[in-house]
Amino acid sequence: MSHTVGIRQAQKQKTRQALLDAALQLLEEQSLSSLGLREVTRAVGVAPTAFYRHFRDMADLGVALVEEALGSLHLMIGEALHEPRDDARIERTVALVAELVRTSPAHVRFIARERHGGVAAVRAAIGEQLDRFGDEVAAAFAREAESAGWSGEDLRMLAGVYVDHMVMTASSLLEAGPGGEERAGALARRQLRLISLGRRHWLD
Amino acid sequence: MSHTVGIRQAQKQKTRQALLDAALQLLEEQSLSSLGLREVTRAVGVAPTAFYRHFRDMADLGVALVEEALGSLHLMIGEALHEPRDDARIERTVALVAELVRTSPAHVRFIARERHGGVAAVRAAIGEQLDRFGDEVAAAFAREAESAGWSGEDLRMLAGVYVDHMVMTASSLLEAGPGGEERAGALARRQLRLISLGRRHWLD
DNA sequence: TTGGCCGGAGAACGGTTGTTAACTGAACGT
DNA sequence: ACGTTCAGTTAACAACCGTTCTCCGGCCAA
């Protein structure tokens, strides 16, 4: 493969990652459309012009951040939904989101903030990823016995509700901050129970 | 009252409103934290320093926009929920949101964008308004016969789901653009039906 | 070992930003 | 009628922005 691991490439990836990390940190207190190129390079400790060696502009860096935040999540989500019992699945789903918020809060904040943010390319990238999540969740649901008789459209709707709820839960867990997590988690579990009840009686 | 309607005050309110309008329009393609003071005054046609006669800074203007967008909505929302039959209430709720998006899309976009945006004061103002909506919806639900046996916490949870869903619906109606509104509206109605089903079987 | 490649540095550019101060003139209270 | 208030103007400030061009020096393939 073109997986060259020369000293050259390694150093380049290193500063590229440093740029992404610095941007992510700076984005905790502002939004992407106000983040300056010089601001990021200054935080890393490189010349402003070095930025262009890695990204065309800030929108480009934003899209890369979307991939970094959401790209590696597709495996975990299907796994959590594999749980057969309703309450256990709810528990695992909320736990998954909670751990995500705990381990990488800045990524979560970035997604929540830029999902409807001012940079079109980033909005589109996030929407695309969330759509993929929706499709995968719908596929997971389709494999369950409880989904017998459901139309594809209804299944996709339900999956969308789940995905939207996960994003919302992540955001509220973030806002809750330390101490309020348990309360926010309990609320999210109750909401998921409500949705599960609706699902169970959908075909009545 | 201190409701002075002199020529002086009238002109001041006029340019203040012009600033708000210009800002709202500029915010369709960027977010508040990147909107410049000079940018707004230039669009209105006044000197940059005139801005300070009306707002302390951009965050201040943002909070005023929140009030303008959400302040006059409290009446309408209770009215829509007054509908007794489930499907009729769903219909009215979605219709209310759809009309709101049709008549003032820029306000809706602003709220969706800045709800998790980069300006703390504006985030707080939006959160406060949405909390008020939640309380009012919960109070409306509490008056219904179907809510017998519900705990206050559960009712507030349900109300929160409704409010969050309305915001989400507004946002997706906006993204759908002309032509896709009917599809987005149908999806929103289905989602509300799911929630209503969950509500009906909550105490089973 | 040589010669090209290329990530990064440096300097400079035109333009924009928020904020300050002093000033103007029309609406205002008396 | 007269002095005051005050929304808006003008001018200037230092700081910052994105982008271009030129140059340096270490990696790398031959």
Side-chain angles (χ1 to χ4, degrees), chain B residues 106-185:
Chain B
H107 283 96
V108 172
R109 170 167 287 127
F110 169 71
I111 295 298
R113 182 157 294 168
E114 301 302 329
R115 183 184 184 185
H116 303 106
V119 182
V122 173
R123 252 181 295 145
I126 294 177
E128 198 178 322
Q129 290 279 350
L130 294 185
D131 274 352
R132 277 183 55 196
F133 282 127
D135 292 340
E136 290 161 7
V137 172
F141 281 157
R143 284 191 290 272
E144 297 184 6
E146 205 183 336
S147 301
W150 280 61
S151 76
E153 236 182 352
D154 284 349
L155 262 180
R156 191 56 180 79
M157 181 274 293
L158 180 66
V161 170
Y162 260 84
V163 171
D164 285 334
H165 184 264
M166 288 177 81
V167 177
M168 223 170 54
T169 299
S171 165
S172 67
L173 275 171
L174 211 56
E175 288 181 31
E181 299 146 0
E182 193 39 56
R183 189 171 199 79

Side-chain angles (χ1 to χ4, degrees), chain A residues 23 34-35 170 178:
Chain A
S34 73
L35 182 61

Side-chain angles (χ1 to χ4, degrees), chain A residues 138 150-160 202, chain B residues 183 186-187 190:
Chain A
W150 279 62
S151 77
E153 236 182 353
D154 284 348
L155 262 180
R156 191 54 181 77
M157 182 274 293
L158 180 66
W202 184 250
Chain B
R183 189 171 199 79
L187 179 64
R190 256 207 301 261

Side-chain angles (χ1 to χ4, degrees), chain A residues 39-101:
Chain A
E39 205 173 345
V40 176
T41 56
R42 193 186 312 131
V44 173
V46 296
T49 50
F51 183 90
Y52 294 105
R53 302 289 182 190
H54 304 275
F55 307 103
R56 192 168 307 131
D57 47 29
M58 268 300 164
D60 194 20
L61 180 142
V63 172
L65 276 180
V66 173
E67 169 64 27
E68 184 177 277
L70 262 31
S72 67
L73 227 68
H74 294 273
L75 296 174
M76 296 188 235
I77 211 167
E79 194 182 338
L81 291 183
H82 218 277
E83 197 75 40
R85 276 179 51 234
D86 252 16
D87 54 350
R89 182 174 50 221
I90 289 176
E91 204 62 46
R92 282 199 60 179
T93 304
V94 174
L96 171 69
V97 174
E99 190 182 306
L100 182 67
V101 172

Side-chain angles (χ1 to χ4, degrees), chain A residues 90-91 94-95 98 165 169 172-173 176 179-194, chain B residues 153-154 157-158 161 202:
Chain A
I90 289 176
E91 204 62 46
V94 174
H165 184 265
T169 300
S172 67
L173 275 171
E181 299 146 358
E182 193 38 57
R183 188 168 199 81
L187 179 64
R189 280 189 290 269
R190 256 206 301 261
Q191 290 168 343
L192 280 177
R193 218 183 103 215
L194 184 78
Chain B
E153 236 182 352
D154 284 349
M157 181 274 293
L158 180 66
V161 170
W202 184 250

Side-chain angles (χ1 to χ4, degrees), chain B residues 49-79:
Chain B
T49 50
F51 183 90
Y52 294 107
R53 302 290 181 190
H54 304 275
F55 307 102
R56 193 169 305 131
D57 48 30
M58 268 301 167
D60 194 21
L61 180 143
V63 172
L65 275 180
V66 173
E67 169 64 26
E68 184 176 278
L70 263 29
S72 66
L73 228 67
H74 294 271
L75 295 174
M76 297 189 234
I77 212 167
E79 194 180 339

